[in-house]
C-alpha cells in the first residue's frame, strides 16, 4: 500500500506547498465558517451582491434595501406596511398617491380667482 501510494504522495508534495494537517484542518474550518456566514447574508435585489441585514441602501447600486419606521426609527423590510416594534403604520405608495391627489385638488380650489369678487 505505502509503496504503491508513494509516487502519488511525492507528486502531491511537489505540486502543492507543504502544509501541516493542523493548518489544513484550521483552514477548512475557517472556509466553512466563512461560507456559512456568506449564505446567511441577504442578496441585494438590484445587483445581487451580498448585503448586511442592517443596511438601508446597497453601497454598490444604491438600491433601497430597508426602510425605517418614522416613529421609532427601527429598520423595517420594504414590504412591511406596519412597524413590528411600535405598531405605527408605514406610509405606503397608495397612501402617498392619495395624499398627492388630495393635494392637487386643494391646489385647484385655491387657484380659483379671488379678486373677481372684490
Ligand atoms: Zn446592489
Ligand atoms: Zn416603529
Amino acid at each position: 500500500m505505502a509503496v504503491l501510494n508513494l509516487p502519488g504522495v511525492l507528486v502531491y508534495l511537489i505540486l502543492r506547498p507543504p502544509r501541516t494537517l493542523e493548518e489544513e484542518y484550521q483552514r477548512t474550518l475557517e472556509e466553512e465558517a466563512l461560507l456559512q456566514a456568506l449564505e446567511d447574508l441577504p442578496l441585494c435585489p438590484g445587483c445581487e451582491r451580498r448585503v448586511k441585514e442592517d443596511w438601508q441602501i446597497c453601497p454598490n447600486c444604491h438600491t433601497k434595501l430597508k426602510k425605517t419606521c418614522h416613529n421609532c426609527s427601527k429598520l423595517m423590510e420594504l414590504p412591511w406596511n406596519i412597524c413590528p416594534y411600535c405598531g405605527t403604520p408605514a406610509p405606503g405608495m397608495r397612501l402617498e398617491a392619495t395624499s398627492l391627489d388630495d393635494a392637487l385638488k386643494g391646489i385647484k380650489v385655491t387657484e380659483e380667482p379671488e379678486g373677481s369678487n372684490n
Side-chain angles (χ1 to χ4, degrees):
M1 282 283 282
V3 180
L4 282 173
N5 283 337
L6 195 58
V9 170
L10 282 174
V11 169
Y12 180 83
L13 286 177
I14 289 162
L15 291 177
R16 304 251 175 165
R19 209 183 278 136
T20 66
L21 277 177
E22 204 175 339
E23 276 174 348
E24 195 80 46
Y25 181 65
Q26 201 68 34
R27 212 180 116 94
T28 310
L29 277 187
E30 276 172 18
E31 276 174 4
E32 270 178 20
L34 194 70
L35 280 174
Q36 260 185 344
L38 285 175
E39 275 172 16
D40 284 344
L41 290 172
L43 293 178
C44 167
C47 63
E48 301 202 334
R49 288 196 189 206
R50 294 186 191 280
V51 293
K52 287 191 177 176
E53 278 187 43
D54 55 351
W55 286 1
Q56 288 185 55
I57 304 284
C58 172
N60 299 308
C61 67
H62 297 187
T63 295
K64 197 173 180 183
L65 304 169
K66 292 276 168 64
K67 59 187 177 184
T68 50
C69 172
H70 59 91
N71 184 47
C72 67
S73 298
K74 297 243 188 192
L75 282 175
M76 291 168 64
E77 302 283 340
L78 288 177
W80 295 355
N81 52 21
I82 192 162
C83 173
Y85 301 101
C86 69
T88 301
M93 297 290 282
R94 281 177 195 173
L95 279 173
E96 277 172 17
T98 310
S99 60
L100 185 67
D101 202 35
D102 286 346
L104 285 173
K105 276 179 194 167
I107 288 166
K108 273 177 193 170
V109 171
T110 52
E111 269 177 0
E112 297 264 332
E114 291 172 14
S116 58
N117 282 344
N118 279 346

